[in-house]
Amino acid sequence: MATLAAEKCVACRVGAPTMTAEEIAELQPYIPEWKLIERDGIPQLERVYSFPNFTQSLAFTNRVAAVAEEQDHHPALLTEWVGVTVSWWTHKVKGLHRNDFIMAAKTDALYSECSE
Amino acid sequence: MATLAAEKCVACRVGAPTMTAEEIAELQPYIPEWKLIERDGIPQLERVYSFPNFTQSLAFTNRVAAVAEEQDHHPALLTEWVGVTVSWWTHKVKGLHRNDFIMAAKTDALYSECSE
């Protein structure tokens, strides 16, 4: 996970190929807590991070958003009292790109920092 | 709407009665942009606010969160590149309370300030 989290997102063009099942299967073990889901016909990575209150959930949302801004790749962040649901996918390819796995690993790394 | 937005949330106990259909019908005209939806069997108020980018969406999320903290009543906030989806309901009554309509009106007022 450490290696994937250290990677930088690459520029992605509209219509670039989405990942193959093999490529996905290769990266999934690096982010074992993430679920591969489909929303509105688009495959996405999703993980729920638990927090004890709204303030801490919001703080995490802002930390993830800062890394998203830095990498110019943005998630959907559902902030609630009990936690934050993070979803990554690549709008330009309407599916998953290696960038999404990189960002999922970076999000896990942020959470580990919070829990330390 | 101005009056409702100026109200303060009141303390709400577990098991307090949810609003009647008549009470809901009376307040809905004050927040016409909000949809009354049901999620996981719980009625909620929901509105999508559009923004031109993630930074502005996140800024709005933080403004809504600040008012939520002030009133000690917290929403679900889905922050995305294209906007923020805000959902209000009252966990303690597993449904809608006047507080939710007050917060919806306050959220509308915040959005109006952003658009000015």
Side-chain angles (χ1 to χ4, degrees):
Chain A
M1 187 188 81
T3 320
L4 194 61
E7 283 188 38
K8 289 185 177 174
C9 287
V10 296
C12 176
R13 69 179 199 285
V14 173
T18 52
M19 296 173 78
T20 63
E22 280 174 2
E23 288 168 333
I24 289 172
E26 190 197 327
L27 291 180
Q28 270 193 310
Y30 294 97
I31 52 163
E33 305 286 344
W34 290 74
K35 282 185 192 159
L36 186 60
I37 61 151
E38 198 168 297
R39 188 172 284 133
D40 302 328
I42 295 172
Q44 307 185 354
L45 295 174
E46 185 175 283
R47 181 175 172 187
V48 180
Y49 296 93
S50 296
F51 291 99
N53 56 50
F54 196 85
T55 306
Q56 288 187 47
S57 292
L58 184 69
F60 187 68
T61 287
N62 279 295
R63 293 188 74 172
V64 176
V67 176
E69 206 61 46
E70 191 183 284
Q71 297 292 323
D72 197 18
H73 189 44
H74 300 81
L77 296 167
L78 177 63
T79 311
E80 297 178 281
W81 182 281
V82 291
V84 180
T85 304
V86 183
S87 309
W88 291 104
W89 75 100
T90 299
H91 300 72
K92 284 187 180 166
V93 303
K94 292 183 181 161
L96 291 171
H97 184 277
R98 185 177 181 93
N99 287 346
D100 300 305
F101 286 83
I102 293 171
M103 294 308 291
K106 284 184 189 296
T107 315
D108 281 347
L110 282 178
Y111 187 66
S112 298
E113 286 170 23
C114 290
S115 323
E116 274 167 10
Chain B
M1 186 187 80
T3 321
L4 194 62
E7 282 188 39
K8 288 184 179 175
C9 288
V10 297
C12 176
R13 69 178 198 286
V14 173
T18 52
M19 298 174 79
T20 63
E22 279 174 2
E23 288 168 332
I24 289 172
E26 189 197 326
L27 291 180
Q28 270 193 310
Y30 294 96
I31 52 162
E33 306 286 344
W34 290 75
K35 281 185 193 159
L36 186 60
I37 62 151
E38 199 169 294
R39 188 172 284 133
D40 301 327
I42 296 173
Q44 308 185 353
L45 295 174
E46 183 175 284
R47 181 175 172 186
V48 180
Y49 296 92
S50 297
F51 290 99
N53 57 49
F54 197 85
T55 306
Q56 288 188 47
S57 291
L58 184 69
F60 187 68
T61 286
N62 279 293
R63 293 188 74 172
V64 176
V67 176
E69 206 62 44
E70 190 183 284
Q71 296 293 322
D72 197 19
H73 188 45
H74 300 83
L77 297 167
L78 177 62
T79 311
E80 297 177 282
W81 182 282
V82 292
V84 181
T85 304
V86 184
S87 308
W88 290 104
W89 75 101
T90 299
H91 299 72
K92 284 186 180 169
V93 302
K94 292 183 183 164
L96 291 171
H97 184 278
R98 186 179 182 90
N99 287 347
D100 300 305
F101 286 83
I102 293 170
M103 294 308 290
K106 284 186 191 295
T107 315
D108 281 348
L110 282 179
Y111 187 66
S112 298
E113 287 170 24
C114 291
S115 323
E116 273 168 7

